[in-house]
Amino acid sequence: MQLGPSRLLPPPLLLLLLLAAALGLLPCGAALEPISVGIAIGAASALTGYLSSPRFYCAFVECCPGEQDRPNGTALQLNLDKKLFGQHLAKEVVLKAVTGFINNPSPKKPLALSLHGWAGTGKNFVSQIIAENMHRAGLKSKYVHLFLSTLHFPHDHQVNLYKDQLQKWIRGNVSACAKSVFIFDEMDKLHPGLIDAIKPFLDYYEQIDGISYRRAIFIFLSNAGGDLITKVALDFWRNGRGREEMQLKDLEPVLSVGVFNNKNSGLWHSSLIDRNLIDYFVPFLPLEYKHVKMCIRAEIVSRGNPVDETVVQKVADEMTFFPKDERIYSDKGCKTVQTKLDFF
């Protein structure tokens, strides 16, 4: 197709015509009549607009969710029901806290959850489920940030440096996506005072240096308080009261005071507790024999195998339980289920 000097088209118009011809919207060799040119330009413009739209772009590249993108509360509940066993309190608190937060059109502060309990009780599962509910890629999302105390903050003589780095990381990531999720694992191994560096971001400020942190979620995972939770659970059992009778009010006050006064909690004398900036202290109860068997069945199913109750029984019997006389609770929760199942 050749155009004489008198019929030269502006570069943007020419690009649209070429795009239209390439997509078959303009027949090859067709005369450039005003009507056909107009139709082709209109179609090509619409297509160009669609191809450059955020919806099309975000179908292939991860984007930060907008205000109209609300996580599915039903999906969150189904995931908790499917993956979390023996934790009626944690399930209830997390479901209400997260769905209430994401459906609030104008939260006054970020959501801060502190998850406490022995290893293998489901804290990591819950943080993973929350991350997946907020961002499709879950822990692999560029908007979900996992900090491990022993990896990211190993040296106690560099606490001031870590504080500065932590503030820069949070500021930069929330600038990129208001709905960022920050997970701090191994809080019980965190140097005292370090976590106070994030206090400004958890407070009731509308903005800090032009950035709002009110849509972010902060999750703290800790083994600290596991002994306090177990004591309450044992008292219920020894008094003949059912596990499901335990309520958040039976444990949350004990937890908040316990970790505040515990030098190995990561929240020792923390301003996050002193200023009531942690929204929920979520207790994870020690798991009983029946809950361990539920974990084993779920692991077998996740591997695509039919559940063999003989194998379930053998793996469960390999686990160790405490107290020594009563043998009620698994001392490792479900943490070693995968490796023991490999053996069988």
Side-chain angles (χ1 to χ4, degrees):
M1 177 167 55
Q2 295 183 350
L3 299 175
S6 62
R7 301 185 66 183
L8 287 173
L9 300 175
L13 187 58
L14 182 59
L15 286 173
L16 287 171
L17 284 172
L18 291 173
L19 177 62
L23 296 172
L25 300 174
L26 186 65
C28 186
L32 293 175
E33 297 176 359
I35 294 177
S36 60
V37 169
I39 293 173
I41 291 174
S45 297
L47 184 60
T48 303
Y50 174 71
L51 293 177
S52 60
S53 69
R55 184 176 296 275
F56 177 81
Y57 176 78
C58 295
F60 298 94
V61 178
E62 185 185 17
C63 297
C64 178
E67 282 301 314
Q68 73 283 0
D69 299 316
R70 297 290 174 86
N72 190 330
T74 302
L76 175 61
Q77 182 170 8
L78 289 174
N79 261 325
L80 289 170
D81 289 339
K82 181 180 178 181
K83 297 179 180 179
L84 190 63
F85 306 114
Q87 303 296 354
H88 69 285
L89 286 176
K91 190 181 300 184
E92 179 184 12
V93 174
V94 168
L95 184 61
K96 288 182 177 180
V98 174
T99 54
F101 177 74
I102 61 180
N103 290 320
N104 185 346
S106 183
K108 301 301 181 187
K109 65 179 292 296
L111 178 63
L113 302 174
S114 192
L115 315 185
H116 296 268
W118 294 127
T121 52
K123 301 186 300 295
N124 288 96
F125 263 141
V126 167
S127 62
Q128 179 181 333
I129 290 168
I130 294 173
E132 290 171 351
N133 195 247
M134 295 298 297
H135 300 281
R136 283 181 299 176
L139 295 178
K140 296 179 181 178
S141 169
K142 59 185 177 183
Y143 305 120
V144 175
H145 313 280
L146 174 63
F147 298 97
L148 302 173
S149 297
T150 53
L151 176 64
H152 295 102
F153 315 111
H155 307 297
D156 57 0
H157 63 278
Q158 293 186 331
V159 168
N160 289 331
L161 173 63
Y162 297 148
K163 286 183 176 182
D164 187 51
Q165 290 177 336
L166 190 54
Q167 289 184 343
K168 289 179 180 177
W169 286 336
I170 293 176
R171 187 181 296 114
N173 284 302
V174 175
S175 298
C177 181
K179 295 184 178 181
S180 293
V181 177
F182 300 94
I183 302 171
F184 294 84
D185 200 359
E186 302 178 332
M187 280 291 295
D188 46 300
K189 297 180 178 66
L190 193 69
H191 305 299
L194 175 53
I195 201 63
D196 283 351
I198 73 170
K199 181 258 177 190
F201 308 124
L202 292 183
D203 218 326
Y204 291 82
Y205 298 119
E206 187 171 349
Q207 287 188 347
I208 301 175
D209 294 333
I211 302 170
S212 174
Y213 296 86
R214 292 181 169 185
R215 283 292 181 190
I217 295 179
F218 292 80
I219 306 172
F220 309 106
L221 311 181
S222 178
N223 290 346
D227 53 341
L228 300 173
I229 297 169
T230 298
K231 182 180 183 305
V232 173
L234 269 173
D235 287 343
F236 265 72
W237 184 83
R238 286 168 177 163
N239 291 325
R241 301 177 65 184
R243 181 188 184 92
E244 283 69 27
E245 291 182 50
M246 272 183 276
Q247 300 179 32
L248 188 61
K249 65 181 182 181
D250 297 316
L251 286 160
E252 193 173 36
V254 176
L255 268 180
S256 60
V257 173
V259 297
F260 183 78
N261 292 315
N262 185 348
K263 286 189 176 181
N264 296 318
S265 71
L267 291 167
W268 180 65
H269 289 185
S270 172
S271 61
L272 304 189
I273 299 178
D274 198 36
R275 293 291 301 274
N276 298 311
L277 298 180
I278 295 179
D279 299 295
Y280 296 95
F281 290 87
V282 186
F284 282 71
L285 304 175
L287 297 182
E288 299 174 9
Y289 184 81
K290 61 183 179 182
H291 304 128
V292 172
K293 293 179 78 172
M294 291 177 183
C295 293
I296 298 167
R297 293 188 189 100
E299 177 63 22
I300 292 174
V301 171
S302 71
R303 299 184 184 195
N305 297 319
V307 175
D308 184 335
E309 288 298 331
T310 303
V311 173
V312 172
Q313 186 74 40
K314 287 181 178 180
V315 175
D317 289 342
E318 284 290 311
M319 309 293 280
T320 53
F321 295 82
F322 73 97
K324 186 176 180 180
D325 295 330
E326 291 101 333
R327 290 177 49 83
I328 309 167
Y329 304 121
S330 169
D331 59 0
K332 295 177 183 175
C334 288
K335 200 170 185 69
T336 59
V337 161
Q338 291 185 0
T339 52
K340 289 188 180 298
L341 191 58
D342 290 338
F343 180 80
F344 287 99

